[in-house]
PDB file of all heavy atoms in Angstrom:
ATOM      1  N   ARG A 328    -160.115-171.602 107.476  1.00 90.00           N
ATOM      2  CA  ARG A 328    -159.409-170.318 107.507  1.00 90.00           C
ATOM      3  C   ARG A 328    -158.838-169.915 106.146  1.00 90.00           C
ATOM      4  O   ARG A 328    -158.827-168.733 105.792  1.00 90.00           O
ATOM      5  CB  ARG A 328    -158.282-170.449 108.542  1.00 90.00           C
ATOM      6  CG  ARG A 328    -157.488-169.214 108.788  1.00 90.00           C
ATOM      7  CD  ARG A 328    -156.597-169.443 109.988  1.00 90.00           C
ATOM      8  NE  ARG A 328    -155.784-168.268 110.251  1.00 90.00           N
ATOM      9  CZ  ARG A 328    -155.077-168.117 111.361  1.00 90.00           C
ATOM     10  NH1 ARG A 328    -155.085-169.039 112.289  1.00 90.00           N
ATOM     11  NH2 ARG A 328    -154.350-167.035 111.541  1.00 90.00           N
ATOM     12  N   HIS A 489    -147.056-152.503 103.351  1.00 98.00           N
ATOM     13  CA  HIS A 489    -148.062-152.616 104.418  1.00 98.00           C
ATOM     14  C   HIS A 489    -147.795-153.831 105.305  1.00 98.00           C
ATOM     15  O   HIS A 489    -147.031-154.739 104.978  1.00 98.00           O
ATOM     16  CB  HIS A 489    -149.484-152.615 103.856  1.00 98.00           C
ATOM     17  CG  HIS A 489    -149.883-153.871 103.147  1.00 98.00           C
ATOM     18  ND1 HIS A 489    -150.018-155.075 103.791  1.00 98.00           N
ATOM     19  CD2 HIS A 489    -150.200-154.103 101.851  1.00 98.00           C
ATOM     20  CE1 HIS A 489    -150.399-155.990 102.922  1.00 98.00           C
ATOM     21  NE2 HIS A 489    -150.503-155.431 101.724  1.00 98.00           N
ATOM     22  N   GLY A 490    -148.506-153.858 106.434  1.00 98.00           N
ATOM     23  CA  GLY A 490    -148.328-154.922 107.421  1.00 98.00           C
ATOM     24  C   GLY A 490    -149.407-155.982 107.334  1.00 98.00           C
ATOM     25  O   GLY A 490    -150.111-156.116 106.343  1.00 98.00           O
ATOM     26  N   GLY A 491    -149.530-156.717 108.377  1.00 97.00           N
ATOM     27  CA  GLY A 491    -150.522-157.786 108.478  1.00 97.00           C
ATOM     28  C   GLY A 491    -149.895-159.150 108.692  1.00 97.00           C
ATOM     29  O   GLY A 491    -149.846-159.642 109.779  1.00 97.00           O
ATOM     30  N   PRO A 492    -149.402-159.835 107.631  1.00 98.00           N
ATOM     31  CA  PRO A 492    -149.317-159.360 106.244  1.00 98.00           C
ATOM     32  C   PRO A 492    -150.670-159.301 105.537  1.00 98.00           C
ATOM     33  O   PRO A 492    -150.766-158.874 104.399  1.00 98.00           O
ATOM     34  CB  PRO A 492    -148.426-160.410 105.565  1.00 98.00           C
ATOM     35  CG  PRO A 492    -148.660-161.663 106.352  1.00 98.00           C
ATOM     36  CD  PRO A 492    -148.907-161.230 107.771  1.00 98.00           C
ATOM     37  N   HIS A 493    -151.736-159.743 106.242  1.00 98.00           N
ATOM     38  CA  HIS A 493    -153.032-159.839 105.561  1.00 98.00           C
ATOM     39  C   HIS A 493    -153.829-158.547 105.714  1.00 98.00           C
ATOM     40  O   HIS A 493    -154.856-158.493 106.396  1.00 98.00           O
ATOM     41  CB  HIS A 493    -153.813-161.038 106.099  1.00 98.00           C
ATOM     42  CG  HIS A 493    -153.002-162.291 106.128  1.00 98.00           C
ATOM     43  ND1 HIS A 493    -152.240-162.716 105.051  1.00 98.00           N
ATOM     44  CD2 HIS A 493    -152.780-163.207 107.103  1.00 98.00           C
ATOM     45  CE1 HIS A 493    -151.607-163.831 105.372  1.00 98.00           C
ATOM     46  NE2 HIS A 493    -151.925-164.144 106.616  1.00 98.00           N
ATOM     47  N   SER A 494    -153.320-157.477 105.140  1.00 98.00           N
ATOM     48  CA  SER A 494    -154.075-156.232 105.037  1.00 98.00           C
ATOM     49  C   SER A 494    -153.780-155.687 103.643  1.00 98.00           C
ATOM     50  O   SER A 494    -153.169-156.405 102.835  1.00 98.00           O
ATOM     51  CB  SER A 494    -153.678-155.251 106.143  1.00 98.00           C
ATOM     52  OG  SER A 494    -152.382-154.756 105.911  1.00 98.00           O
ATOM     53  N   GLY A 568    -144.481-150.721 108.060  1.00 98.00           N
ATOM     54  CA  GLY A 568    -144.748-150.941 109.480  1.00 98.00           C
ATOM     55  C   GLY A 568    -145.202-152.362 109.773  1.00 98.00           C
ATOM     56  O   GLY A 568    -145.907-152.981 108.983  1.00 98.00           O
ATOM     57  N   SER A 569    -144.760-152.873 110.932  1.00 98.00           N
ATOM     58  CA  SER A 569    -145.210-154.160 111.437  1.00 98.00           C
ATOM     59  C   SER A 569    -144.700-155.269 110.519  1.00 98.00           C
ATOM     60  O   SER A 569    -143.492-155.391 110.353  1.00 98.00           O
ATOM     61  CB  SER A 569    -146.731-154.153 111.582  1.00 98.00           C
ATOM     62  OG  SER A 569    -147.132-155.093 112.525  1.00 98.00           O
ATOM     63  N   TYR A 570    -145.585-156.042 109.857  1.00 98.00           N
ATOM     64  CA  TYR A 570    -145.031-156.990 108.875  1.00 98.00           C
ATOM     65  C   TYR A 570    -144.248-156.199 107.815  1.00 98.00           C
ATOM     66  O   TYR A 570    -143.210-156.656 107.328  1.00 98.00           O
ATOM     67  CB  TYR A 570    -146.153-157.801 108.214  1.00 98.00           C
ATOM     68  CG  TYR A 570    -145.626-158.829 107.244  1.00 98.00           C
ATOM     69  CD1 TYR A 570    -145.228-160.074 107.691  1.00 98.00           C
ATOM     70  CD2 TYR A 570    -145.520-158.549 105.887  1.00 98.00           C
ATOM     71  CE1 TYR A 570    -144.719-161.017 106.805  1.00 98.00           C
ATOM     72  CE2 TYR A 570    -145.024-159.477 104.991  1.00 98.00           C
ATOM     73  CZ  TYR A 570    -144.623-160.716 105.452  1.00 98.00           C
ATOM     74  OH  TYR A 570    -144.129-161.649 104.582  1.00 98.00           O
ATOM     75  N   GLY A 571    -144.739-155.008 107.479  1.00 98.00           N
ATOM     76  CA  GLY A 571    -143.996-154.127 106.558  1.00 98.00           C
ATOM     77  C   GLY A 571    -142.669-153.692 107.167  1.00 98.00           C
ATOM     78  O   GLY A 571    -141.692-153.461 106.449  1.00 98.00           O
ATOM     79  N   ARG A 592    -142.471-149.996 113.829  1.00 98.00           N
ATOM     80  CA  ARG A 592    -143.025-151.090 114.629  1.00 98.00           C
ATOM     81  C   ARG A 592    -142.526-152.431 114.060  1.00 98.00           C
ATOM     82  O   ARG A 592    -143.291-153.293 113.654  1.00 98.00           O
ATOM     83  CB  ARG A 592    -144.552-151.001 114.708  1.00 98.00           C
ATOM     84  CG  ARG A 592    -145.313-150.803 113.403  1.00 98.00           C
ATOM     85  CD  ARG A 592    -146.742-150.348 113.691  1.00 98.00           C
ATOM     86  NE  ARG A 592    -147.606-150.449 112.535  1.00 98.00           N
ATOM     87  CZ  ARG A 592    -147.600-149.615 111.501  1.00 98.00           C
ATOM     88  NH1 ARG A 592    -146.771-148.587 111.478  1.00 98.00           N
ATOM     89  NH2 ARG A 592    -148.436-149.790 110.498  1.00 98.00           N
ATOM     90  N   ILE A 594    -140.254-155.981 113.231  1.00 98.00           N
ATOM     91  CA  ILE A 594    -140.022-157.346 113.728  1.00 98.00           C
ATOM     92  C   ILE A 594    -138.718-157.809 113.085  1.00 98.00           C
ATOM     93  O   ILE A 594    -138.628-157.861 111.852  1.00 98.00           O
ATOM     94  CB  ILE A 594    -141.166-158.295 113.305  1.00 98.00           C
ATOM     95  CG1 ILE A 594    -142.516-157.783 113.815  1.00 98.00           C
ATOM     96  CG2 ILE A 594    -140.896-159.712 113.818  1.00 98.00           C
ATOM     97  CD1 ILE A 594    -143.719-158.418 113.139  1.00 98.00           C
ATOM     98  N   TRP A 597    -138.193-163.530 114.723  1.00 98.00           N
ATOM     99  CA  TRP A 597    -139.530-164.113 114.909  1.00 98.00           C
ATOM    100  C   TRP A 597    -139.645-164.916 116.199  1.00 98.00           C
ATOM    101  O   TRP A 597    -140.729-165.039 116.752  1.00 98.00           O
ATOM    102  CB  TRP A 597    -139.915-164.970 113.693  1.00 98.00           C
ATOM    103  CG  TRP A 597    -140.253-164.120 112.505  1.00 98.00           C
ATOM    104  CD1 TRP A 597    -139.513-163.972 111.367  1.00 98.00           C
ATOM    105  CD2 TRP A 597    -141.398-163.272 112.360  1.00 98.00           C
ATOM    106  NE1 TRP A 597    -140.133-163.088 110.514  1.00 98.00           N
ATOM    107  CE2 TRP A 597    -141.297-162.642 111.091  1.00 98.00           C
ATOM    108  CE3 TRP A 597    -142.501-162.969 113.159  1.00 98.00           C
ATOM    109  CZ2 TRP A 597    -142.251-161.740 110.619  1.00 98.00           C
ATOM    110  CZ3 TRP A 597    -143.449-162.072 112.688  1.00 98.00           C
ATOM    111  CH2 TRP A 597    -143.321-161.468 111.444  1.00 98.00           C
ATOM    112  N   TRP A 600    -140.196-162.311 118.801  1.00 98.00           N
ATOM    113  CA  TRP A 600    -141.539-161.764 118.599  1.00 98.00           C
ATOM    114  C   TRP A 600    -142.593-162.717 119.158  1.00 98.00           C
ATOM    115  O   TRP A 600    -143.539-162.281 119.814  1.00 98.00           O
ATOM    116  CB  TRP A 600    -141.793-161.525 117.095  1.00 98.00           C
ATOM    117  CG  TRP A 600    -143.184-161.011 116.831  1.00 98.00           C
ATOM    118  CD1 TRP A 600    -143.605-159.723 116.866  1.00 98.00           C
ATOM    119  CD2 TRP A 600    -144.344-161.794 116.532  1.00 98.00           C
ATOM    120  NE1 TRP A 600    -144.950-159.646 116.622  1.00 98.00           N
ATOM    121  CE2 TRP A 600    -145.429-160.904 116.411  1.00 98.00           C
ATOM    122  CE3 TRP A 600    -144.582-163.155 116.362  1.00 98.00           C
ATOM    123  CZ2 TRP A 600    -146.725-161.328 116.123  1.00 98.00           C
ATOM    124  CZ3 TRP A 600    -145.872-163.576 116.079  1.00 98.00           C
ATOM    125  CH2 TRP A 600    -146.918-162.673 115.956  1.00 98.00           C
ATOM    126  N   ALA A 606    -149.769-161.770 119.918  1.00 97.00           N
ATOM    127  CA  ALA A 606    -150.470-162.402 118.787  1.00 97.00           C
ATOM    128  C   ALA A 606    -149.751-163.650 118.281  1.00 97.00           C
ATOM    129  O   ALA A 606    -149.521-163.811 117.085  1.00 97.00           O
ATOM    130  CB  ALA A 606    -150.652-161.392 117.651  1.00 97.00           C
ATOM    131  N   GLY A 608    -150.782-166.478 117.707  1.00 95.00           N
ATOM    132  CA  GLY A 608    -151.571-167.253 116.750  1.00 95.00           C
ATOM    133  C   GLY A 608    -151.148-166.999 115.308  1.00 95.00           C
ATOM    134  O   GLY A 608    -151.275-167.869 114.442  1.00 95.00           O
ATOM    135  N   LEU A 609    -150.623-165.791 115.054  1.00 97.00           N
ATOM    136  CA  LEU A 609    -150.238-165.444 113.683  1.00 97.00           C
ATOM    137  C   LEU A 609    -149.158-166.389 113.161  1.00 97.00           C
ATOM    138  O   LEU A 609    -149.317-167.036 112.132  1.00 97.00           O
ATOM    139  CB  LEU A 609    -149.758-163.986 113.646  1.00 97.00           C
ATOM    140  CG  LEU A 609    -149.350-163.441 112.285  1.00 97.00           C
ATOM    141  CD1 LEU A 609    -150.529-163.407 111.327  1.00 97.00           C
ATOM    142  CD2 LEU A 609    -148.753-162.045 112.420  1.00 97.00           C
ATOM    143  N   ARG A 651    -147.848-155.559 120.345  1.00 98.00           N
ATOM    144  CA  ARG A 651    -147.963-156.401 119.146  1.00 98.00           C
ATOM    145  C   ARG A 651    -146.571-156.669 118.585  1.00 98.00           C
ATOM    146  O   ARG A 651    -146.234-157.798 118.257  1.00 98.00           O
ATOM    147  CB  ARG A 651    -148.866-155.685 118.112  1.00 98.00           C
ATOM    148  CG  ARG A 651    -149.135-156.442 116.817  1.00 98.00           C
ATOM    149  CD  ARG A 651    -149.868-157.752 117.027  1.00 98.00           C
ATOM    150  NE  ARG A 651    -150.980-157.691 117.943  1.00 98.00           N
ATOM    151  CZ  ARG A 651    -152.237-157.373 117.653  1.00 98.00           C
ATOM    152  NH1 ARG A 651    -152.550-157.104 116.410  1.00 98.00           N
ATOM    153  NH2 ARG A 651    -153.178-157.372 118.577  1.00 98.00           N
ATOM    154  N   THR A 652    -145.786-155.620 118.432  1.00 98.00           N
ATOM    155  CA  THR A 652    -144.405-155.772 117.956  1.00 98.00           C
ATOM    156  C   THR A 652    -143.508-155.067 118.982  1.00 98.00           C
ATOM    157  O   THR A 652    -143.110-153.922 118.777  1.00 98.00           O
ATOM    158  CB  THR A 652    -144.223-155.157 116.548  1.00 98.00           C
ATOM    159  OG1 THR A 652    -144.649-153.796 116.576  1.00 98.00           O
ATOM    160  CG2 THR A 652    -145.039-155.892 115.508  1.00 98.00           C
ATOM    161  N   HIS A 681    -149.071-150.049 119.238  1.00 98.00           N
ATOM    162  CA  HIS A 681    -148.856-150.458 117.846  1.00 98.00           C
ATOM    163  C   HIS A 681    -149.580-149.535 116.858  1.00 98.00           C
ATOM    164  O   HIS A 681    -149.279-149.529 115.671  1.00 98.00           O
ATOM    165  CB  HIS A 681    -149.371-151.894 117.689  1.00 98.00           C
ATOM    166  CG  HIS A 681    -148.890-152.583 116.452  1.00 98.00           C
ATOM    167  ND1 HIS A 681    -147.569-152.829 116.212  1.00 98.00           N
ATOM    168  CD2 HIS A 681    -149.561-153.087 115.383  1.00 98.00           C
ATOM    169  CE1 HIS A 681    -147.442-153.453 115.047  1.00 98.00           C
ATOM    170  NE2 HIS A 681    -148.635-153.619 114.523  1.00 98.00           N
ATOM    171  N   ASP A 682    -150.538-148.776 117.354  1.00 98.00           N
ATOM    172  CA  ASP A 682    -151.361-147.961 116.463  1.00 98.00           C
ATOM    173  C   ASP A 682    -150.986-146.487 116.468  1.00 98.00           C
ATOM    174  O   ASP A 682    -151.790-145.643 116.072  1.00 98.00           O
ATOM    175  CB  ASP A 682    -152.840-148.157 116.822  1.00 98.00           C
ATOM    176  CG  ASP A 682    -153.231-149.608 116.660  1.00 98.00           C
ATOM    177  OD1 ASP A 682    -152.959-150.153 115.583  1.00 98.00           O
ATOM    178  OD2 ASP A 682    -153.741-150.222 117.614  1.00 98.00           O
ATOM    179  N   ARG A 685    -151.828-144.461 113.511  1.00 97.00           N
ATOM    180  CA  ARG A 685    -153.246-144.396 113.117  1.00 97.00           C
ATOM    181  C   ARG A 685    -154.071-143.671 114.169  1.00 97.00           C
ATOM    182  O   ARG A 685    -154.828-142.748 113.857  1.00 97.00           O
ATOM    183  CB  ARG A 685    -153.785-145.804 112.888  1.00 97.00           C
ATOM    184  CG  ARG A 685    -152.937-146.530 111.839  1.00 97.00           C
ATOM    185  CD  ARG A 685    -153.236-147.986 111.726  1.00 97.00           C
ATOM    186  NE  ARG A 685    -152.495-148.795 112.638  1.00 97.00           N
ATOM    187  CZ  ARG A 685    -151.785-149.877 112.307  1.00 97.00           C
ATOM    188  NH1 ARG A 685    -151.732-150.240 111.048  1.00 97.00           N
ATOM    189  NH2 ARG A 685    -151.170-150.584 113.213  1.00 97.00           N
TER     190      ARG A 685
HETATM  191  C1  LIG B   1    -153.957-163.914 114.367  1.00 69.85           C
HETATM  192  S1  LIG B   1    -153.116-162.567 114.945  1.00 69.85           S
HETATM  193  C2  LIG B   1    -153.226-161.356 113.670  1.00 69.85           C
HETATM  194  C3  LIG B   1    -152.117-160.376 113.798  1.00 69.85           C
HETATM  195  C4  LIG B   1    -152.347-159.123 113.032  1.00 69.85           C
HETATM  196  N1  LIG B   1    -152.793-159.341 111.722  1.00 69.85           N
HETATM  197  C5  LIG B   1    -153.399-158.388 110.988  1.00 69.85           C
HETATM  198  C6  LIG B   1    -154.152-158.818 109.802  1.00 69.85           C
HETATM  199  O1  LIG B   1    -153.341-157.244 111.266  1.00 69.85           O
HETATM  200  C7  LIG B   1    -151.202-158.216 113.223  1.00 69.85           C
HETATM  201  O2  LIG B   1    -151.298-157.368 114.044  1.00 69.85           O
HETATM  202  N2  LIG B   1    -150.093-158.387 112.501  1.00 69.85           N
HETATM  203  C8  LIG B   1    -148.985-157.480 112.700  1.00 69.85           C
HETATM  204  C9  LIG B   1    -147.703-158.228 112.769  1.00 69.85           C
HETATM  205  C10 LIG B   1    -149.031-156.450 111.567  1.00 69.85           C
HETATM  206  O3  LIG B   1    -148.306-156.550 110.608  1.00 69.85           O
HETATM  207  N3  LIG B   1    -149.978-155.507 111.642  1.00 69.85           N
HETATM  208  C11 LIG B   1    -150.224-154.532 110.613  1.00 69.85           C
HETATM  209  C12 LIG B   1    -151.651-154.620 110.108  1.00 69.85           C
HETATM  210  O4  LIG B   1    -152.574-154.389 111.072  1.00 69.85           O
HETATM  211  C13 LIG B   1    -149.944-153.107 111.058  1.00 69.85           C
HETATM  212  O5  LIG B   1    -149.835-152.242 110.189  1.00 69.85           O
HETATM  213  O6  LIG B   1    -149.845-152.832 112.247  1.00 69.85           O
END
Side-chain angles (χ1 to χ4, degrees):
R328 184 170 179 169
H489 73 66
H493 311 313
S494 71
S569 204
Y570 183 85
R592 49 196 194 284
I594 302 164
W597 287 109
W600 178 86
L609 182 64
R651 182 62 45 87
T652 55
H681 196 62
D682 300 308
R685 303 170 273 231

